[in-house]
DNA sequence: ACACGACCCTGTTCGC
DNA sequence: TGCGAACAGGGTCGTG
């Protein structure tokens, strides 16, 4: 599920209950997710203080006082739940482990952080903070969409000559960090570009238009608390609302929301995954 | 170098 | 109601 806005929403929910706090104990309830969990995960976490919580692309990064960083990727179905805490008006009792609760972290003071991931496409690792940029999962990732390195000239140059569909190019995390199937569809619609168009054959001004489109859709989604598809929720149990603002994703058959456009949203399949676009205003 | 399909895994939804 | 197929927000790997 989680693309950049959902991961950022999780980060914002977790930061106040983690930053500056110490891990009392941790339990890995199985040895692996998509890949093996870090060696001796529980021992390496216990007693560590969480210095801060960052996000890089779709990865959550918890910097620890042990000079290691806990790297977490939520995959398709990963969730992080907070219990044993007073959050706003809600009191969450410390949750008993459920099916697919793979890692449970208890903080000093009683807050419990649970990583739950039915499909186990998620990933977790521990890595020296000072060498984080050389972690295999992080080393090749492209610029953050809100960072200074992501701009019109960069994207035009990066897509020049590429014969892959622009949708695939934007899903490529080496090109730009954090986009997934939903937000690529939404950004392409806002920029008026059809997803099957070859990236290297789109006129430069149109490619450039993708930059503000990507930033706008991600910023709006973050402001809405992400998208709550299926049963996905924020870390504090609240729902995100951005799915109600999708213009094309999941809206096959609906009238195109572009002002003045008479088109109908279509679902197609690209590289085995659903694409949504308006054949009238996306070219 | 690049593009594509298969694969990883479980749960939910849909059509018959 | 039951059952299999299709589908789901992720990324990696091998192949051509």
């Amino acid at each position: 599920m989680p693309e950049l806005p959902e991961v950022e929403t999780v980060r914002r929910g977790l930061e106040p209950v983690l930053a500056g706090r110490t891990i009392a104990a941790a339990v890995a309830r199985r040895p692996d997710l998509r890949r093996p969990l870090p060696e001796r995960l529980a021992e390496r976490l216990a007693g560590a203080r969480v210095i801060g919580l960052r996000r890089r692309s779709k990865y959550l990064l918890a910097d620890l006082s042990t000079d290691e960083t806990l790297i977490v990727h939520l995959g398709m179905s990963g969730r992080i739940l907070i219990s044993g805490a007073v959050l706003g008006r809600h009191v969450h009792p410390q949750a008993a482990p459920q099916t697919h609760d793979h890692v449970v972290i208890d903080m000093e003071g009683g807050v419990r952080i649970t990583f739950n991931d039915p499909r186990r496409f998620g990933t977790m690792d521990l890595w020296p903070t000072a060498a984080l940029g050389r972690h295999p999962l992080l080393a090749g990732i492209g610029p953050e969409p809100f960072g200074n390195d992501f701009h019109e000239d960069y994207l035009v140059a990066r897509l020049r000559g590429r014969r892959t569909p622009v949708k695939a190019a934007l899903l490529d995390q080496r090109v730009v960090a954090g986009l997934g199937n939903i937000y690529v569809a939404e950004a392409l619609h806002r920029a008026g570009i059809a997803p099957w168009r070859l990236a290297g054959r789109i006129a430069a001004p149109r490619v450039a238009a993708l930059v503000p489109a990507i930033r706008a859709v991600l910023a709006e989604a973050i402001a809405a608390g992400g998208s709550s598809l299926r049963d996905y929720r924020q870390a504090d149990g609240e729902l995100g609302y951005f799915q109600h603002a999708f213009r094309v994703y999941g809206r096959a058959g609906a009238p195109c929301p572009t002002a003045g456009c008479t088109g109908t949203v279509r679902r197609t399949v690209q590289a085995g995954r659903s694409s949504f676009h308006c054949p009238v205003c996306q070219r």
Side-chain angles (χ1 to χ4, degrees):
Chain A
M1 128 329 34
E3 302 181 34
L4 187 153
E6 290 73 40
V7 177
E8 178 61 22
T9 297
V10 170
R11 191 197 69 77
R12 292 180 183 188
L14 285 174
E15 189 170 43
V17 300
L18 290 185
R21 309 285 177 81
T22 297
I23 295 170
V27 176
R29 304 182 68 239
R30 56 175 297 130
D32 57 3
L33 298 170
R34 192 180 77 219
R35 318 163 349 120
L37 286 167
E39 299 278 330
R40 300 168 32 251
L41 174 67
E43 296 92 288
R44 288 160 77 183
L45 291 179
R49 187 168 49 84
V50 179
I51 294 169
L53 200 56
R54 296 182 284 157
R55 180 193 55 73
R56 171 76 171 107
S57 189
K58 301 171 191 173
Y59 291 90
L60 280 171
L61 306 172
D63 297 318
L64 306 176
S65 58
T66 52
D67 295 329
E68 289 193 306
T69 294
L70 179 64
I71 303 168
V72 179
H73 194 289
L74 300 174
M76 289 277 265
S77 58
R79 303 164 62 182
I80 294 181
L81 300 168
I82 302 170
S83 60
V86 178
L87 297 162
R89 309 192 319 276
H90 309 288
V91 177
H92 295 235
Q94 211 171 60
Q98 314 268 315
T99 310
H100 309 310
D101 283 354
H102 305 311
V103 176
V104 178
I105 298 175
D106 283 328
M107 307 302 294
E108 288 184 356
V111 169
R112 171 167 287 177
I113 306 298
T114 302
F115 178 87
N116 177 289
D117 183 7
R119 293 176 76 178
R120 302 204 300 277
F121 289 171
T123 302
M124 216 175 271
D125 205 359
L126 273 168
W127 197 263
T129 305
L132 212 52
R134 294 194 289 278
H135 191 284
L137 294 173
L138 302 174
I141 295 178
E144 285 291 321
F146 294 114
N148 292 333
D149 294 339
F150 185 64
H151 49 70
E152 282 82 349
D153 290 344
Y154 163 80
L155 192 60
V156 169
R158 197 72 171 75
L159 298 189
R160 188 174 294 139
R162 290 201 57 169
R163 294 179 179 275
T164 192
V166 62
K167 179 195 177 184
L170 295 178
L171 284 175
D172 184 344
Q173 301 297 297
R174 298 170 298 184
V175 172
V176 57
L179 294 180
N181 210 31
I182 292 178
Y183 295 106
V184 163
E186 294 295 314
L188 285 170
H189 179 260
R190 290 180 185 221
I193 299 172
W196 38 262
R197 188 147 290 256
L198 299 187
R201 298 204 180 158
I202 302 168
R206 306 186 64 219
V207 172
L210 276 166
V211 171
I214 288 167
R215 288 194 172 135
V217 70
L218 295 179
E220 290 171 30
I222 291 169
S227 306
S228 296
L229 293 188
R230 304 171 181 279
D231 64 346
Y232 184 75
R233 285 167 183 259
Q234 301 175 24
D236 60 3
E238 297 296 314
L239 292 165
Y241 290 96
F242 193 71
Q243 70 276 11
H244 302 301
F246 290 165
R247 298 184 188 179
V248 290
Y249 185 83
R251 298 222 187 281
C256 175
T258 300
C261 182
T262 58
T264 299
V265 177
R266 282 196 57 192
R267 175 184 180 272
T268 56
V269 176
Q270 280 182 279
R273 304 185 74 186
S274 292
S275 276
F276 297 90
H277 80 286
C278 169
V280 174
C281 69
Q282 289 179 258
R283 291 288 165 178

